[in-house]
Amino acid sequence: LMFQYSCCFGVEVTMTNAAALYFKERFGQSTETAAAIASVFGFMNLFARGLGGLGSDTYNTKYGMKGRLGWQFFSLFVQGAFIVAFAFARTLTGAIFALIFTSIMVQSAEGSSFGIVPYVSRRYTGGIVGFVGAGGNVGGVMFAAIFRAFDDMKAFYIMGAAASLSAFLSFTIKMKGQTSFVTCGSCLSGGQGNRKKSDE
């Protein structure tokens, strides 16, 4: 979860600056215009993070913890795909739309992450929240270093690939008292039996 959060909140921290520079250099926008366009990423915060948490709760109701993990996988994987699409956008309009959908999925993954956190350890919830949250800052530093080491196109590609690959960690997450992909062969079967446990 810590690494997954580094691949969503870390992306958010990095995209705020990287997107503005990208719009300026790739599409010839002025500094002011590029910054204004990039600010769209932050505006998605008004609803998208809550949407991610709502999605996690909705799939938990239907499929138990496996539903939360499945939503986590989806959010991170699609997030990575949109980051790559943003990097390869050939038109300003296409890049803006890719940025908007990237932001929605980034915020969704953040909300989804903290939909899972309370079930990791009821006794040490505060500590788990701290560790997972710290992962976001680590991710910001990590991706900033990548943008310093590579050109923007390659850096966006690496960041997108990291996010999508981190999604597969959802299949390895195992929590005491909760069913998961590790303990079950089918990702969506047996939700009824786990629903009560994940809501307790």
Side-chain angles (χ1 to χ4, degrees):
L1 276 175
M2 184 177 179
F3 182 74
Q4 288 185 326
Y5 196 66
S6 75
C7 289
C8 51
F9 187 77
V11 167
E12 178 181 356
V13 172
T14 305
M15 286 291 285
T16 303
N17 295 320
L21 291 173
Y22 192 67
F23 281 119
K24 180 180 179 180
E25 295 175 0
R26 183 172 175 82
F27 298 105
Q29 302 298 302
S30 67
T31 300
E32 294 78 11
T33 301
I37 296 173
S39 69
V40 171
F41 190 94
F43 285 135
M44 298 302 105
N45 246 324
L46 295 174
F47 71 92
R49 192 174 299 191
L51 185 65
L54 178 62
S56 181
D57 291 340
T58 299
Y59 283 99
N60 175 65
T61 300
K62 292 183 178 181
Y63 307 114
M65 182 53 65
K66 289 176 292 181
R68 290 192 188 276
L69 294 173
W71 180 250
Q72 177 84 341
F73 170 83
F74 173 80
S75 297
L76 284 164
F77 188 83
V78 175
Q79 169 199 317
F82 276 121
I83 292 172
V84 174
F86 172 73
F88 285 93
R90 295 185 178 182
T91 65
L92 179 61
T93 301
I96 292 173
F97 275 105
L99 181 69
I100 290 172
F101 285 109
T102 296
S103 181
I104 290 173
M105 297 314 299
V106 166
Q107 317 299 339
S108 176
E110 291 171 2
S112 175
S113 295
F114 282 96
I116 297 170
V117 163
Y119 301 101
V120 175
S121 173
R122 297 301 179 89
R123 184 176 181 181
Y124 301 108
T125 300
I128 300 299
V129 168
F131 277 114
V132 173
N137 296 323
V138 172
V141 173
M142 176 179 68
F143 291 129
I146 290 173
F147 273 87
R148 285 195 296 268
F150 301 97
D151 62 82
D152 286 352
M153 181 74 76
K154 190 169 185 178
F156 278 120
Y157 179 80
I158 293 172
M159 187 164 67
S164 289
L165 288 174
S166 75
F168 289 92
L169 292 176
S170 299
F171 296 110
T172 69
I173 295 174
K174 184 178 180 181
M175 289 161 282
K176 185 177 181 180
Q178 303 293 334
T179 57
S180 66
F181 294 102
V182 176
T183 56
C184 292
S186 174
C187 62
L188 295 181
S189 65
Q192 295 290 335
N194 186 49
R195 185 182 305 169
K196 182 178 179 181
K197 290 183 180 180
S198 61
D199 285 338
E200 289 177 350

